[in-house]
């Protein structure tokens, strides 16, 4: 599976962005999808995940502001980010896997290249 993340950019605090994760290769619907973020000098941080059946999971820091979704017919996943804060600034990565551990990068087999999100105060 090849993943291509897009949709990042510069936005003011309180604004919104929608990230996309386009998948090609093996059946996208067979995998769970996760979003992670990373800032320089820090470990990759879990943001959200959606299971094959559509169950969703969020980090406490984004709960109520971010929404993860997927369109299996289009082999694409999404992360809608609302009420953005400067602390949301990071490179965002999408990833898929068949045996993931919720809340961690464990089990994700395929990773996209990342898209930069910058939130100005």
């Amino acid at each position: 599976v090849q993943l291509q993340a897009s949709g990042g950019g510069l936005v003011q605090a309180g604004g919104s962005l929608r990230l996309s994760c386009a998948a090609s290769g093996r059946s996208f619907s067979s995998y769970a999808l996760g979003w992670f973020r990373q800032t320089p000098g820090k470990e990759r941080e879990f943001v959200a995940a959606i299971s094959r059946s559509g169950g969703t999971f969020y980090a406490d820091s984004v709960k109520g502001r971010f929404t993860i979704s997927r369109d299996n017919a289009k082999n694409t996943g999404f992360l809608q980010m609302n009420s953005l804060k400067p602390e949301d600034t990071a490179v965002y990565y999408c990833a898929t896997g068949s045996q993931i551990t919720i809340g961690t990068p464990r089990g994700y087999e395929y990773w996209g290249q990342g898209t930069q999100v910058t939130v100005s105060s």
Side-chain angles (χ1 to χ4, degrees), residues 34-39 42-48 59-62 65-66 79 87-93 103-105 111:
W35 285 94
F36 294 79
R37 63 189 182 187
Q38 190 170 23
T39 54
K42 293 190 176 181
E43 292 187 353
R44 198 161 291 189
E45 175 189 22
F46 169 76
V47 175
D60 288 343
S61 59
V62 306
R65 300 188 298 121
F66 290 11
L79 185 68
E87 51 263 45
D88 294 318
T89 295
V91 177
Y92 283 72
Y93 299 87
T104 79
W111 291 82

Side-chain angles (χ1 to χ4, degrees), residues 2 6 10 26 49 53-54 62 64 68 74 84 89 92 97 100 109:
Q2 291 80 44
S6 62
L10 173 64
R26 294 183 180 178
S53 59
V62 306
I68 188 172
K74 295 183 178 180
L84 282 161
T89 295
Y92 283 72
I100 66 166
E109 302 160 69

Side-chain angles (χ1 to χ4, degrees), residues 5-9 11 15-21 35 67-71 74 76-82 84 115 117:
S6 62
V11 64
S16 298
L17 283 174
R18 189 191 197 204
L19 305 184
S20 297
C21 180
W35 285 94
T67 303
I68 188 172
S69 61
R70 64 191 301 162
D71 184 340
K74 295 183 178 180
T76 304
F78 304 97
L79 185 68
Q80 177 67 44
M81 305 187 296
N82 299 329
L84 282 161
T115 184
V117 171

